[in-house]
Amino acid sequence: MKIIEQMYVDGAFVAPHGDERFALFNPATEEKIGEVRLGDAQDARAAIAAAKRAFPAMRRTTPAERIAMLHALRQAVAASADTLRAAMATEYGAPQSFLAFSVPHAANVFDVAAKTVADYAFTRRVGNAEVVMEPVGVAAAITPWNSNIGFICTKLATAIAAGTTIVIKPSEMSAIQTQILLEALHEAGLPDGVLNVVNGYGHLVGAELSRHPDIAKVTFTGSTTTGREILRSAAESFKRVTLELGGKGPQILLDDADLDRAIPHILASAFRNSGQACIAGTRLLVSRQSHAEVMSRLAQAVSALRTGPSSDPASDIGPMVSARHWERVQSYIRLGQEEGATLLVGGEGRPDGLDRGWFVRPTVFSNVANDMRIAREEVFGPVLSVLSYDTEAEAIAIANDSEYGLQSYVLGTDAERMRGVARRLETGRVVINEAPAGTQAPFGGFKHSGIGREFGSFGLDAFLEPKAIIG
Ligand code: NAD
């Protein structure tokens, strides 16, 4: 049983003022594995005050000094890879494929930020003006449970790159992972107050960060509903905001696609991280003429997926994060049937042979219409909706007919044609044939999937204010 009693403020692990305890579970066994003591609004204010005190010195640092900090952070996270991996497996139940990506990713984001700083023009000439890119002020970050470590590291790396200080409120459901990460980050020896982390509920700690006048910038990753609330409170003091929100990613399977290659890509995108991924491609668009063949191959491939605990390296799909989230995914599987979609494979309840753990049967619905809720709402589980199209133009129209616009996928063989389709899609990223994710390319959403971009120079821009000195 892991008991976490402290928050991290002003360079030290200290007891919070709040004293409510939050239980932590292993989602594969439903066993309680720990408890975290949650901070409250007073703790958030103490962390903001520490970040504010540290800001003047941080803003005076040179790019070279910040690159050195980023390298130290990278080393510290890389050195803890094994313990981080174990914590993510136990507390979150992520399949090995996701762990293999996400732990190295958490370390690499510091390298990417260091490279971005090295290449970035903090001072530029524009006409007769000298434009200086200055840190925006104290930042606050709020992260979701589905990629807690990755987003803590991305947001911290960008704050350091910009020369600012930060207060982070991680997901309360990921406190064991946060604690192990923090112990690693502490080893990097950042100046006191540059990094502050307060565990707590969103409506208390998160809300205080979103409204406090000493926070200049909020960077949030989470649901669209919470993002809207944060945007409202941030408006009062004109905070700069970066919002990375939900998605309902379309996958357009063009009629020239090689199905032997495309089907594994479709499954990887749809069921990535057990379907608990904002970028999951959960709406598959298939041409009517290849519908029958694609459905038969999909049914076969999905039935062959293995659902199980993280400890089994053969597991393709892990458990849902909580009992509540399991219920929510079940309710969408029921809803799909009530709405008249055809249940191709999967369905309600646990997969055969698993009588414990918040496991869901990987599910595919065919004959889905784009006005059904299972085509419009984010399920956040291994549930794929298949829609049919007659023409490429119709496929693009269906793909774009969504409130979301985070990441889409195009699968085919003709590179020019796929680029043509990609140019017409309204999403922050378009992935062609499951190309590897770029680490410097901007990441973020159109429409209700968010505001602003993270990663690389676009992510850094969002932590800076341009100041023009004229004459
Ligand atoms: P969530 O919105 O419920 O919670 C996210 C964070 O916000 C948590 O730390 C939570 O405590 C906090 N929070 C809750 N209410 C708050 C409030 N009123 N004020 C301030 N903070 C508050 O989301 P979640 O369930 O943790 O994560 C899943 C969601 O995140 C999905 O919708 C997913 O698509 C999205 N997501 C988006 C991206 C992206 O990059 N676009 C990446 C990962 C996850």
Side-chain angles (χ1 to χ4, degrees), residues 142-148 151 155 169-173 200-210 220-227 229-230 233 243-247 276-279 321 325 328 378 380 404 406 443-445 449-450 454:
I142 303 172
T143 67
W145 49 262
N146 74 322
S147 190
N148 181 59
F151 284 111
K155 292 169 192 311
K169 191 214 87 67
S171 167
E172 60 275 25
M173 293 161 76
Y201 287 124
H203 68 278
L204 296 176
V205 176
E208 184 64 20
L209 296 178
S210 322
F220 169 73
T221 302
S223 65
T224 294
T225 308
T226 307
E229 236 175 280
I230 289 174
S233 355
L243 302 176
E244 298 286 3
L245 310 177
Q276 300 174 119
C278 53
I279 55 173
V321 73
H325 190 53
R328 181 174 185 273
E378 191 181 42
F380 228 58
Y404 291 114
L406 190 60
F443 176 67
S449 286
E454 289 191 294

